[in-house]
Amino acid sequence: QVHLVESGGGLVQAGGSLRLTCAASGRTFSNYAMGWFRQAPGKARECVAAITYNGAAAYYSDSVRGRFTISRDNAKNTVYLQMNTLKPDDTAVYYCAAGRVAGPYDYDYWGQGTQVTVSS
């Protein structure tokens, strides 16, 4: 079992930045690929970024590539999502997840989510 807790969400103006943090506990964090997903009301859940277990490679969706950066610190059991140049379309609940493969795939464990709201 992996327990995930997201933080860092909030309200920001368009063009601003936020950094989301996901703290993990339980099974060995460094064994898992990590992903950040988001879901806006009435929309499907989207994998916006993912990172391999060792941080060597990352995946980004077309909608965030060049603006968002995923990173991890295995010594701190933490994964981050740096979000720059935010747009109103980025408004959603953001979730982190732990799984076997980095990318828009199925994940085994999920956090409770953190709300990000971008005002125009």
Side-chain angles (χ1 to χ4, degrees):
Q1 184 79 10
V2 177
H3 184 58
L4 303 171
V5 179
E6 302 96 336
S7 60
L11 174 64
V12 64
Q13 288 188 332
S17 299
L18 282 175
R19 188 175 82 156
L20 304 183
T21 298
C22 175
S25 61
R27 289 190 172 183
T28 306
F29 175 74
S30 58
N31 287 348
Y32 291 90
M34 297 298 297
W36 283 99
F37 290 73
R38 68 185 182 188
Q39 188 164 23
K43 294 188 177 180
R45 187 174 64 193
E46 174 189 20
C47 179
V48 297
I51 192 166
T52 55
Y53 71 100
N54 60 358
Y59 159 88
Y60 296 97
S61 67
D62 290 343
S63 59
V64 308
R65 187 176 295 113
R67 300 188 297 122
F68 291 11
T69 303
I70 189 171
S71 61
R72 67 189 296 161
D73 185 339
N74 285 348
K76 296 182 178 180
N77 288 357
T78 302
V79 63
Y80 306 97
L81 185 67
Q82 178 66 43
M83 305 186 295
N84 298 329
T85 320
L86 283 161
K87 306 174 182 180
D89 283 350
D90 295 319
T91 296
V93 178
Y94 283 71
Y95 301 88
C96 72
R100 302 173 188 176
V101 182
Y105 309 116
D106 292 338
Y107 284 69
D108 299 316
Y109 303 102
W110 294 82
Q112 83 289 348
T114 186
Q115 176 71 46
V116 172
T117 302
V118 184
S119 63
S120 57

